[in-house]
């Protein structure tokens, strides 16, 4: 782990060595950024050293991670990341866009983006000789932690709100985690997980609390960088690929704000290394009923006012986003913006993506709903290259999926009956 210098507070800028802080800034509770030894990495590696690696998982980016690779057999821990990017030609035509892609994070081992964070956190827990990891989750972070902990032979304790979707609770239980359903919302579960972590000495994976989640999530940015170089090999030589066109615009849904901040961090690392010379544009999408980060963005403040969250997209239903400040900056510092979509628009997006062969849970489809709105309002132009992230699988929330479609007819098993309904 030669590349990890310690932490820097995203609010006050205080720096801490790795033994001096564990979660938030001891001074002001700000989120901590992991500080890499960029100069050391630069001396040791060139982009080609990454691009030529044969590893097809997030461990491909080990030289840029503050962690050592989990040893031993191939397990689901070794299958996180390196998710496919699809061209959405039909949807691009509908929206009058020329270049539209989707990166499908539902292909991760537990079927959401959260595996990236959990793979890194359980590996960190092992380095710290901590055998119990705990998290609060609306579902996916817990499922990811439970699955990754099972793969790493660690014990996971998960606090989830009692109304979390069944499929997600089933995942937690099948992965063998100790699951505790809280008679309250995600925010209540979050606080209880922090308290339990302090009381029992468990390592806490909470999103927007543990600095290592961001380090896992940033690997999606590295994959996008590699994919982008590849996608433009025909257009230009690699060095200038990111510069000669409109910047890549990335759409991502936002709850706590850790995914969007992680993607921003990944590109900031690449910029600091000099491996890219320009940032992509990052656009955050929130549900109308859970828009605390978007509200702060529009009010041009970094003070995040909690809301009383209510949306069909449970994975982005958050009263008080725990990574709100960095999430505001991710859009602000990349010439991006925030877009707010209604539950109806999210449900409609599930159907549209389904028509392209992609099955997204509401929070995953929200990013596409945001693009639809952005295209309509001229926030993106027809020539802009656009990448939408589907952050979670539709199988996670079948009840929401059924709202996006008409029920199938039931008929007698006869041709006559069939002809009647065709
Ligand atoms: C967690 C999650 C998000 C949002 O990530 P944040 O870091 O909370 O902003 C989006 N989509 C899915 C499917 C998720 O599980
Ligand atoms: Zn601070």
């Amino acid at each position: 782990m030669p590349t990890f210098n310690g932490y820097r507070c995203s609010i006050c800028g205080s720096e801490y060595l790795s033994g001096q802080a564990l979660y938030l800034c001891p001074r002001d509770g700000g989120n901590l950024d992991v500080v890499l030894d960029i100069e050391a990495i630069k001396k040791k590696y060139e982009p080609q050293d990454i691009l030529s690696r044969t590893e097809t998982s997030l461990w491909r980016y080990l030289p840029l991670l503050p962690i050592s690779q989990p040893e031993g057999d191939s397990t689901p821990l070794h299958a996180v990341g390196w998710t496919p990017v699809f061209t959405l030609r039909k949807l691009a035509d509908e929206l009058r866009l020329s270049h539209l892609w989707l990166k499908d994070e539902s292909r991760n081992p537990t079927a959401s983006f959260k595996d990236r964070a959990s793979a890194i956190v359980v590996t960190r827990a092992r380095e710290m000789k901590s055998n119990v990891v705990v998290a609060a989750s609306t579902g996916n972070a817990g499922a990811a932690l439970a699955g990754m902990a099972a793969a790493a032979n660690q014990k996971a304790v998960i606090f989830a709100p009692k109304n979390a979707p069944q499929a997600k609770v089933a995942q937690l239980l099948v992965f063998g985690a100790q699951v505790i359903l809280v008679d309250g919302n995600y925010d209540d579960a979050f606080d209880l997980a922090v308290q339990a972590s302090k009381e029992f000495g468990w390592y806490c994976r909470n999103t927007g609390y543990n600095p290592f989640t961001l380090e896992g999530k940033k690997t999606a940015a590295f994959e996008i960088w590699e994919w982008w170089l590849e996608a433009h090999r025909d257009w230009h030589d690699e060095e200038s690929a990111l510069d000669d066109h409109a910047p890549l615009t990335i759409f991502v849904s936002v709850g706590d704000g850790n995914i969007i901040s992680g993607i921003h961090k990944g590109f900031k690392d690449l910029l600091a290394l000099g491996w890219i010379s320009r940032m992509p544009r990052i656009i955050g999408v929130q549900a109308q009923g859970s828009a605390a980060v978007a509200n702060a963005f529009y009010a041009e403040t970094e003070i995040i006012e909690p809301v009383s969250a209510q949306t069909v997209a449970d994975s982005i239903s958050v009263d008080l986003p725990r990574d709100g400040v960095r999430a505001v900056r991710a859009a602000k510092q990349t010439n991006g913006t925030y877009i707010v979509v209604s539950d109806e628009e999210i449900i409609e997006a599930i159907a549209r993506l389904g028509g392209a062969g992609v099955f997204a849970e509401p929070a995953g489809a929200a990013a596409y709903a945001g693009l639809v709105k952005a295209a309509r309002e001229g926030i993106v132009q027809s020539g802009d290259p656009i990448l939408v992230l589907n952050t979670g699988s539709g199988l996670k929330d079948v009840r929401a999926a059924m709202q996006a479609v008409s029920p199938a007819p039931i008929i007698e098993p006869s041709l006559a009956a069939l002809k009647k309904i065709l």
Side-chain angles (χ1 to χ4, degrees):
M1 231 191 344
T3 56
F4 173 33
N5 276 352
Y7 307 101
R8 185 181 304 115
C9 175
S10 58
I11 304 297
C12 70
S14 296
E15 299 207 357
Y16 303 95
L17 296 174
S18 83
Q20 291 174 322
L22 193 52
Y23 299 116
L24 300 176
C25 175
R27 274 188 204 135
D28 56 11
N31 292 114
L32 295 178
D33 286 318
V34 168
V35 180
L36 298 180
D37 190 343
I38 292 289
E39 288 312 312
I41 298 172
K42 238 185 196 163
K43 272 205 199 101
K44 204 160 162 203
Y45 298 101
E46 292 180 10
Q48 200 51 40
D49 296 318
I50 305 285
L51 301 176
S52 61
R53 295 195 79 181
T54 52
E55 175 79 51
T56 50
S57 74
L58 54 56
W59 301 109
R60 183 178 179 86
Y61 305 103
L62 207 56
L64 309 181
L65 294 173
I67 202 121
S68 40
Q69 181 153 8
E71 285 158 22
D73 304 332
S74 175
T75 70
L77 257 186
H78 299 81
V80 177
W82 203 245
T83 54
V85 176
F86 306 130
T87 304
L88 300 182
R89 189 134 355 245
K90 191 172 78 173
L91 297 180
D93 289 346
E94 272 178 28
L95 299 175
R96 296 174 200 284
L97 299 170
S98 322
H99 314 289
L100 175 59
W101 298 274
L102 177 136
K103 185 167 175 66
D104 193 4
E105 290 292 313
S106 74
R107 303 303 187 91
N108 279 298
T110 79
S112 87
F113 192 105
K114 298 291 198 293
D115 284 340
R116 294 182 184 273
S118 291
I120 299 300
V121 168
V122 301
T123 306
R124 176 67 177 162
R126 175 171 293 176
E127 283 178 355
M128 293 170 53
K129 313 240 179 304
S130 188
N131 278 321
V132 184
V133 279
V134 60
S137 169
T138 61
N140 284 338
L145 182 60
M148 294 302 115
N153 201 16
Q154 288 168 3
K155 182 176 156 67
V157 180
I158 312 291
F159 295 95
K162 70 170 198 282
N163 61 358
Q166 278 275 302
K168 297 180 180 179
V169 176
Q171 277 186 299
L172 299 175
L173 293 166
V174 168
F175 288 136
Q178 179 161 5
V179 182
I180 297 152
L181 297 180
V182 178
D183 188 6
N185 61 12
Y186 168 62
D187 297 76
D188 298 321
F190 191 103
D191 293 335
L192 187 56
V194 169
Q195 286 169 31
S197 148
K198 285 185 181 147
E199 181 76 15
F200 306 117
W202 299 337
Y203 188 50
C204 185
R205 180 228 178 270
N206 275 11
T207 296
Y209 182 70
N210 186 317
F212 280 77
T213 62
L214 203 79
E215 293 298 300
K217 289 173 175 180
K218 78 179 185 183
T219 58
F222 299 156
E223 289 174 24
I224 293 168
W225 164 63
E226 281 201 68
W227 160 79
W228 183 243
L229 289 176
E230 188 68 35
H232 289 75
R233 212 170 286 272
D234 322 335
W235 296 13
H236 286 278
D237 65 286
E238 288 176 27
E239 302 293 313
S240 61
L242 274 165
D243 291 309
D244 291 359
H245 293 269
L248 180 66
T249 301
I250 300 170
F251 282 79
V252 57
S253 60
V254 174
D256 269 318
N258 198 239
I259 292 182
I260 193 171
S261 302
I263 288 169
H264 190 207
K265 172 71 158 41
F267 283 108
K268 282 193 290 188
D269 283 353
L270 293 172
L271 194 67
L273 287 164
W275 294 2
I276 57 171
S277 49
R278 187 167 65 157
M279 296 293 268
R281 201 177 165 210
I282 305 178
I283 296 186
V285 182
Q286 290 210 285
Q288 220 159 54
S290 177
V293 179
N295 292 344
F297 180 86
Y298 288 122
E300 295 186 26
T301 172
E302 291 193 341
I303 296 162
I304 314 292
E305 296 285 354
V307 297
S308 193
Q310 193 83 52
T311 166
V312 67
D314 65 289
S315 299
I316 50 172
S317 183
V318 181
D319 290 359
L320 178 63
R322 306 290 172 150
D323 212 341
V325 173
R326 289 189 298 193
V328 166
R329 290 176 188 167
K332 189 161 182 192
Q333 295 176 1
T334 63
N335 194 30
T337 188
Y338 270 82
I339 292 173
V340 170
V341 293
S342 68
D343 279 4
E344 293 71 40
E345 289 169 314
I346 291 171
I347 294 291
E348 170 66 17
I350 292 177
R352 309 306 311 162
L353 286 176
V358 175
F359 193 16
E361 70 163 274
Y368 183 74
L371 168 63
V372 172
K373 196 162 180 181
R376 201 169 55 222
E377 295 181 356
I379 294 166
V380 292
Q381 308 299 319
S382 67
D384 290 350
I386 293 163
L387 180 78
V388 175
L389 280 170
N390 171 31
T391 42
S393 166
L395 293 173
K396 296 272 193 175
D397 189 351
V398 171
R399 239 166 48 124
M402 291 305 280
Q403 291 178 42
V405 292
S406 319
I410 301 172
I411 62 164
E412 278 170 27
S414 72
L415 262 182
L418 176 60
K419 282 179 182 160
K420 220 188 262 171
I421 60 115
L422 281 183

